[in-house]
Amino acid sequence: MKKTLLMLFILLSTSILANQTVGIGIYSKNTVYHGKNQINFVPLVNLESKRFYIKGYKPGMYFYKEPNFNLSVFIDPIIGYSDFYIKNSNLENGYKNTKNRNTFVGVGIAADFIIDRKIFGRIEVSGGDKGIKGEMKFNQSFELTDRVTFTPGINFKYYDKKYINHFLGVNTQDIRNNRKITKVYRGKDTISGGLSASLDYALTEQITATVFGGVELYNNIKDSELVKKEHSYYGGIGIRYSF
């Protein structure tokens, strides 16, 4: 996997296009679990060549490309990081001694499109040995001033029962090892919907500061005793460099 990512980066760097960005963000997330708020980092990266790209932490390759529509395949090295991943140490007492809910590596296919030159959308499906997830999202940017841009968005997601079982599932050993868990949960197909927004401020022609946040509402996960509530929200800041 490391060799594959390195080769993709080399190919990308030799034919990179203009208007690329690299940056980093940090955000606090109010988890669905009986646990502490999580502090996570997120790469604010958009590097693209005629055939290859890196968006966030996902490297990919286009196999069909038009001005307002393209299809690609990609690698997701940390599936689950943005939704249900949590360290056991961040769970409350009585829930800590459960199986690990680690991220996992997977591959996916995606379609990116632009509607009426204003709305940017992406549909993707990815999966690995721990399950499958799908996402459809739409964003629209509004230039409030020469320096300030506001971008709201909406998304819908699907998680298959294997994916949910990996992160939210409870087995008999979890019951024996945790005094607050009393019943087995094997996971069910789940959907969610969310709203997001970001506010970008151009500090210079190349450096942009951003504030972002969002909320996600999940269906059909409260049957797991690991889950405290069926929604989560997050907020963070970041900085990007464009070239």
Side-chain angles (χ1 to χ4, degrees):
M1 180 59 66
K2 291 182 179 179
K3 291 182 179 179
T4 302
L5 295 176
L6 178 60
M7 182 61 67
L8 182 59
F9 180 79
I10 293 172
L11 290 170
L12 183 69
S13 62
T14 58
S15 57
I16 200 165
L17 301 176
N19 300 320
Q20 311 298 305
T21 59
V22 293
I24 189 71
I26 184 171
Y27 66 95
S28 174
K29 181 178 181 180
N30 184 266
T31 179
V32 299
Y33 294 101
H34 292 276
K36 304 174 185 176
N37 289 356
Q38 297 173 257
I39 303 296
N40 292 334
F41 290 92
V42 58
L44 304 178
V45 175
N46 187 19
L47 299 175
E48 187 173 348
S49 69
K50 290 182 179 180
R51 190 170 183 184
F52 299 96
Y53 67 79
I54 300 176
K55 296 182 180 181
Y57 46 77
K58 300 175 184 177
M61 181 184 71
Y62 296 112
F63 63 87
Y64 180 83
K65 196 170 185 181
E66 295 290 342
N68 293 327
F69 180 80
N70 61 65
L71 296 172
S72 66
V73 291
F74 64 90
I75 298 170
D76 189 337
I78 47 174
I79 294 180
Y81 182 77
S82 62
D83 42 63
F84 295 116
Y85 166 71
I86 189 171
K87 294 180 180 179
N88 283 4
S89 59
N90 286 333
L91 294 171
E92 294 176 359
N93 291 330
Y95 301 94
K96 290 179 182 290
N97 297 319
T98 55
K99 65 179 182 179
N100 291 327
R101 287 160 179 81
N102 295 326
T103 61
F104 59 97
V105 179
V107 296
I109 185 170
D112 294 282
F113 51 90
I114 301 174
I115 302 174
D116 195 28
R117 299 183 181 181
K118 295 180 180 180
I119 300 174
F120 299 83
R122 181 177 174 92
I123 299 173
E124 66 176 51
V125 178
S126 61
D129 63 332
K130 305 299 183 183
I132 296 172
K133 65 179 290 188
E135 180 178 7
M136 177 172 59
K137 59 183 178 181
F138 303 91
N139 297 88
Q140 184 171 0
S141 295
F142 300 91
E143 293 187 3
L144 304 183
T145 71
D146 291 341
R147 289 179 175 267
V148 180
T149 302
F150 175 64
T151 305
I154 185 171
N155 71 77
F156 304 93
K157 298 176 184 177
Y158 163 79
Y159 310 91
D160 76 351
K161 61 183 179 182
K162 187 175 181 181
Y163 188 102
I164 294 298
N165 188 61
H166 172 65
F167 288 105
L168 304 182
V170 175
N171 57 36
T172 54
Q173 185 174 348
D174 294 330
I175 295 174
R176 287 194 298 268
N177 295 338
N178 297 272
R179 58 186 174 83
K180 292 186 178 180
I181 300 177
T182 61
K183 62 180 181 180
V184 170
Y185 177 73
R186 302 193 185 282
K188 301 176 183 177
D189 291 356
T190 299
I191 59 173
S192 72
L195 299 174
S196 64
S198 65
L199 190 67
D200 295 344
Y201 180 78
L203 300 173
T204 69
E205 289 186 0
Q206 293 180 302
I207 299 176
T208 300
T210 183
V211 178
F212 57 90
V215 61
E216 195 82 17
L217 303 176
Y218 299 93
N219 178 55
N220 212 23
I221 65 172
K222 197 66 181 294
D223 288 340
S224 170
E225 291 186 327
L226 293 170
V227 175
K228 184 177 182 179
K229 52 188 180 297
E230 292 189 315
H231 68 273
S232 65
Y233 53 88
Y234 64 92
I237 57 174
I239 192 161
R240 302 193 309 271
Y241 176 78
S242 302
F243 55 95

